[in-house]
């Protein structure tokens, strides 16, 4: 299982682990509490494959399936409170954690195996590396390979950030195993309404300290977490911007801040200062209150970071 409100990296990594387990003849399932916009298109493809679709189970059904000898593999997070079903961790005596985020204060205790590599592009990259060596008879279905590649493409912004030689080696392995790069692009394409919604957020952007782009949407307008994250991605493409931050009210009433950088700025540290977390170039936080209050907290955190790190070119 991945984290709550899973993205392509979590779903792709889970599908890779599923294939590994089944290669060893072990019954396996993916815990999914619901479909959100970031994985909707992928899950539509999964639904067309009855056998694969039956491998996705609700948290409640997963609790019913769990036994004393069950192995629970957590992907794309290492925080117990973030997983799709925290109670599974209490039932499982054997837990494996595969994640690419920097280790935070909260961590799943008593894990049998922990494979964490903060400098990896994505959890899909780590899982792909495992798949190459875990069993010589392993073979991937096209959709599985495509899901893993989609996770890598999403977390690297099409191989533009957090990309090393290992990333391309993993992508090459997936392509040799049938990953459809054209399908990946179709999965990640934006629609017109989504584009217009992002544009509405971005028009409120301003430049802070000459290099940080900050966009805070007006109060009363709610957006999905995916839209907030995509707006931050788009802002990062602006000339001269080294880090972008988008502050919006989410559909659940919380205030979401998505942060992105090209690597010169550690947005994880900035988000951790506000109670969130993430990765060097990709982080977020959810706050209670208003967008104005959240923006004020963000600007203060940016001021402190700027004073500590100095001027960036």
């Amino acid at each position: 299982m991945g984290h709550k409100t899973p993205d392509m990296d979590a779903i792709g990594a889970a599908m890779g682990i599923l294939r590994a387990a089944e290669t060893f003849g072990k019954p396996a399932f993916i815990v999914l509490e619901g479909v959100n916009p970031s994985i909707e298109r992928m899950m539509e493809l999964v639904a067309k494959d009855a056998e694969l679709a039956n491998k996705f189970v609700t948290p409640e059904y997963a609790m019913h399936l769990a036994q004393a000898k069950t192995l629970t593999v957590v992907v794309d997070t290492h925080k117990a409170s973030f997983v799709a079903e925290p109670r599974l961790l209490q039932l499982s005596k054997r837990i494996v954690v595969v994640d690419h985020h920097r280790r935070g204060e909260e961590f799943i205790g008593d894990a049998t195996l922990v494979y964490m590599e903060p400098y990896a592009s994505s959890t899909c990259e780590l899982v792909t590396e495992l798949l190459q060596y875990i069993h010589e008879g392993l073979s991937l279905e096209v959709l599985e390979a495509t899901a893993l590649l989609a996770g890598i493409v999403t977390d690297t912004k099409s191989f533009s950030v957090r990309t090393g030689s290992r990333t391309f080696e993993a992508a090459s392995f997936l392509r040799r195993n049938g990953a459809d790069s054209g399908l990946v692009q179709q999965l990640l394409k934006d629609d017109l309404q989504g584009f217009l919604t992002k544009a509405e957020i971005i028009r409120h952007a301003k430049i802070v300290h000459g290099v940080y782009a900050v966009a805070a949407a007006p109060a009363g307008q709610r957006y999905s977490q995916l839209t907030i994250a995509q707006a931050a991605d788009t802002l990062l493409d602006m000339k001269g911007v080294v880090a972008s931050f988008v502050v919006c009210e989410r559909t659940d009433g919380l205030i979401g801040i998505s942060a992105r950088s090209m690597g010169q700025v550690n947005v994880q540290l900035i988000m951790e200062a506000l109670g969130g977390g993430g990765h060097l170039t990709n982080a977020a936080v959810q706050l209670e209150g208003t967008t104005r209050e959240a923006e004020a907290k963000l600007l203060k955190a940016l001021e402190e970071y700027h004073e500590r790190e100095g001027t960036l070119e």
Side-chain angles (χ1 to χ4, degrees):
M1 62 177 169
H3 49 78
K4 297 174 182 175
T5 316
D7 52 15
M8 284 302 304
D9 191 31
I11 289 297
M15 291 172 68
I17 295 296
L18 176 73
R19 171 53 56 192
E22 292 183 337
T23 298
F24 283 95
K26 302 295 182 181
F29 301 90
I30 297 173
V31 183
L32 181 65
E33 82 276 21
V35 176
N36 64 78
S38 63
I39 62 170
E40 186 174 13
R41 294 178 186 173
M42 172 56 73
M43 295 312 297
E44 287 174 355
L45 294 177
V46 169
K48 296 178 181 179
D49 184 334
E51 184 177 353
L52 179 59
N54 288 334
K55 299 296 183 179
F56 286 81
V57 299
T58 64
E60 292 75 19
Y61 192 65
M63 291 291 292
H64 172 72
L65 290 171
Q67 303 173 9
K69 62 181 180 180
T70 296
L71 170 66
T72 300
V73 183
V74 176
V75 295
D76 205 31
T77 185
H78 57 267
K79 298 181 179 182
S81 61
F82 280 22
V83 299
E85 180 48 87
R87 292 178 298 170
L88 272 177
L89 301 179
Q90 299 171 1
L91 287 178
S92 303
K93 294 183 178 179
R94 297 182 297 170
I95 300 172
V96 171
V97 177
V98 184
D99 188 21
H100 73 119
H101 296 100
R102 188 170 72 94
R103 181 166 177 163
E105 291 184 9
E106 182 186 352
F107 193 81
I108 295 173
D110 301 324
T112 305
L113 172 66
V114 176
Y115 183 31
M116 289 182 62
E117 179 52 78
Y119 292 99
S121 72
S122 56
T123 306
C124 281
E125 177 184 311
L126 297 178
V127 171
T128 299
E129 290 181 345
L130 289 173
L131 293 177
Q132 293 182 65
Y133 305 107
I134 200 166
H135 194 291
E136 61 182 14
L138 182 141
S139 63
L140 292 169
E141 297 294 332
V142 171
L143 188 56
E144 294 166 343
T146 300
L148 284 160
L149 182 59
I152 294 174
V153 170
T154 300
D155 272 27
T156 61
K157 289 193 66 182
S158 297
F159 300 99
S160 62
V161 296
R162 292 202 311 273
T163 305
S165 59
R166 289 169 54 183
T167 312
F168 288 106
E169 289 169 4
S172 178
F173 170 81
L174 294 172
R175 286 286 286 141
R176 290 196 303 272
N177 279 267
D180 187 338
S181 56
L183 181 55
V184 169
Q185 293 304 314
Q186 290 295 322
L187 291 170
L188 303 180
K189 270 190 175 182
D190 205 357
D191 57 26
L192 178 59
Q193 186 55 51
F195 182 86
L196 294 174
T197 301
K198 285 192 300 181
E200 176 62 27
I201 297 172
I202 291 169
R203 78 183 186 89
H204 297 286
K206 59 186 177 183
I207 302 299
V208 179
H209 298 300
V211 290
Y212 308 130
V214 177
Q221 299 180 13
R222 294 188 172 188
Y223 302 91
S224 70
Q225 183 61 45
L226 176 62
T227 298
I228 300 171
Q230 289 178 336
D233 283 330
T234 302
L235 272 178
L236 190 59
D237 291 333
M238 293 177 59
K239 183 178 180 181
V241 172
V242 299
S244 62
F245 305 84
V246 171
V247 187
C248 294
E249 185 176 351
R250 306 195 323 171
T251 53
D252 60 5
L254 293 174
I255 306 302
I257 303 179
S258 278
R260 300 289 186 270
S261 87
M262 297 300 292
Q264 302 101 310
V265 175
N266 189 337
V267 293
Q268 179 182 358
L269 293 179
I270 297 172
M271 292 297 98
E272 285 181 347
L274 298 177
H279 197 277
L280 170 71
T281 60
N282 184 333
V285 65
Q286 292 79 49
L287 302 171
E288 295 184 348
T290 66
T291 52
R292 185 181 294 274
E293 291 169 345
E295 181 185 14
K297 292 178 181 178
L298 171 63
L299 292 176
K300 182 180 179 181
L302 285 175
E303 178 72 30
E304 294 172 351
Y305 184 87
H306 186 73
E307 290 179 354
R308 186 168 65 249
E309 300 297 328
T311 303
L312 296 171
E313 297 294 335

